[in-house]
Amino acid sequence: MSVRTHLLAAGSFTVGTSDFVVSGVLLDVSGRLGVSLTAAGQLATAFAIAYAIGAPLLSTLTSRWDRRTLLLAALVVAAVGNGLSAVATTYPLLIVGRIIAALGAAAYQPAATLVATAMVPPAQRARAVGIVVGGLTLSLALGVPAGDLLGSRLGYGVVFGAVAVVTALVAAAVPLCLPRIPAPPAVTLRQRFAVAADWRVLTALAMTLVNVLAAMVVFIYVAPLVNATGGIHGAIVALLLVVYGIGAMVGNTGGGRAADRFGAVPTLFALLAGSVVTVAVLVPAGSTVVGAAVVLALWAAFNWAFNPPAQSLLLELAPAGGLVLSLNSSAIFVGAAVGGVVGGIVIGAGGLLALPLVSAGFSLVVIALLLTLQRGRRSVEAENVVA
């Protein structure tokens, strides 16, 4: 695959790191700014809400822009947001920085995926998209642990500053490496949301939202959680995040292959069952570093394998893929936003150790939604046969 595609993946890596790195700097933010751990966790919530709202809005507002110009502008905005986060000395200013960074990410990621498919032959489009999306999972495997390691030693300012610099470097490479690509046909907000009139599509989007919620309610607070379960801290937490990231990368690849071989629905049932089991044993397993590493890797693999078959199912339900997948992207970040809020509520009511069981409960909700969707699809098919 070309250097251009990998440059797009590098952009995905920077915006992914900008989002996920918050989990590694929670303790430092809490200590330096004098806010509670729950309040620090809402940095991820602010980012997710801004992304979820911004993705469809910015996609519509910039629909007539040349794609190279859009990618450059999006990365510049993301770099500014992270730069502001780096120098923020108050909690409100840090929130503003996260929102600006999120808007840059929301404009970048959908455009990068479209550009990747436009630059390669049809037979290579799936692979190109996989490489671009792979930048996000790489941010879990490398960016987040590095952020945790730097954050615990040098502070959150250095972490966000480093992300800003790397993002700016990728932005500088965009006009040098990418050709001008005309904007695709414009799509209105009304057209984007029309596909959600189908209850099956709504159910599938709800599955995505709740599955992400189940993941983020634990992941956002994973550093203090493993500290509470096994006294794990410092460089060992960074190592555990590397293991989690590797599991996520394996799951992201394996989920698509499994869906192609066994079908989207059977694959989703298996992945959700695996998520329930692994997250439910995280507290007892987390009493040792090895136990925490094994469970986090397995849980990450099950969770990150969910998206490929979920998107495949959505495409079966709504062939106008670009529209429904845009909504799916927003559902992912709404789930992340709600995850931060719910996590904070759970910590206040039951403590950190209650988070994994709550996560398992949400995964069971996703299974119930999938069962409902599958029964509805079979009823519709039966009616069509009779007709």
Side-chain angles (χ1 to χ4, degrees):
M1 201 60 64
S2 70
V3 172
R4 294 170 176 174
T5 306
H6 286 89
L7 175 63
L8 295 172
S12 295
F13 171 79
T14 63
V15 299
T17 301
S18 176
D19 180 14
F20 300 129
V21 77
V22 169
S23 66
V25 298
L26 285 185
L27 294 175
D28 184 65
V29 169
S30 177
R32 288 178 184 264
L33 299 186
V35 298
S36 69
L37 190 62
T38 300
Q42 303 319 307
L43 293 174
T45 302
F47 188 104
I49 291 174
Y51 187 109
I53 296 173
L57 289 176
L58 292 173
S59 178
T60 301
L61 292 173
T62 61
S63 61
R64 298 181 184 275
W65 291 23
D66 170 79
R67 298 296 92 178
R68 186 176 71 178
T69 301
L70 174 56
L71 290 172
L72 175 59
L75 288 172
V76 168
V77 170
V80 169
N82 282 295
L84 180 60
S85 300
V87 300
T89 55
T90 65
Y91 182 72
L93 188 59
L94 186 53
I95 287 285
V96 172
R98 305 317 302 139
I99 291 173
I100 294 174
L103 293 176
Y108 177 85
Q109 197 59 43
T113 302
L114 290 175
V115 169
T117 61
M119 293 191 304
V120 298
Q124 298 180 18
R125 286 177 181 172
R127 183 183 171 195
V129 172
I131 291 175
V132 174
V133 175
L136 294 176
T137 56
L138 186 62
S139 70
L140 276 174
L142 296 179
V144 175
D148 179 78
L149 201 58
L150 289 173
S152 62
R153 287 164 172 74
L154 303 176
Y156 69 85
V158 173
V159 174
F160 289 129
V163 175
V165 169
V166 175
T167 304
L169 290 175
V170 176
V174 166
L176 299 176
C177 299
L178 296 181
R180 287 191 175 276
I181 299 176
V187 178
T188 66
L189 276 176
R190 178 175 294 181
Q191 289 173 303
R192 289 184 183 278
F193 286 94
V195 293
D198 187 337
W199 73 268
R200 298 172 302 169
V201 171
L202 288 174
T203 303
L205 291 172
M207 286 168 47
T208 294
L209 189 154
V210 179
N211 184 70
V212 174
L213 192 163
M216 298 306 289
V217 77
V218 171
F219 181 74
I220 290 174
Y221 301 98
V222 70
L225 178 61
V226 296
N227 182 266
T229 58
I232 303 170
H233 59 276
I236 302 300
V237 174
L239 181 61
L240 288 178
L241 289 172
V242 171
V243 171
Y244 178 95
I246 292 172
M249 293 174 68
V250 171
N252 187 57
T253 302
R257 293 179 178 177
D260 288 339
R261 182 172 182 180
F262 303 109
V265 172
T267 300
L268 287 170
F269 275 124
L271 294 174
L272 290 165
S275 293
V276 171
V277 172
T278 49
V279 77
V281 301
L282 180 56
V283 169
S287 60
T288 66
V289 173
V290 173
V294 171
V295 172
L296 283 173
L298 290 173
W299 180 56
F302 286 126
N303 260 289
W304 281 83
F306 178 91
N307 202 39
Q311 292 193 56
S312 177
L313 178 59
L314 276 168
L315 290 175
E316 292 176 18
L317 298 171
L323 303 179
V324 74
L325 293 183
S326 173
L327 293 175
N328 190 61
S329 178
S330 290
I332 288 173
F333 280 86
V334 170
V338 177
V341 174
V342 172
I345 293 172
V346 172
I347 291 173
L352 280 166
L353 301 186
L355 291 174
L357 290 180
V358 171
S359 174
F362 282 121
S363 292
L364 290 174
V365 171
V366 182
I367 292 175
L369 289 170
L370 183 56
L371 283 170
T372 301
L373 176 59
Q374 188 65 355
R375 288 172 182 169
R377 293 177 71 196
R378 287 174 179 171
S379 297
V380 171
E381 292 170 0
E383 290 175 1
N384 290 337
V385 170
V386 171

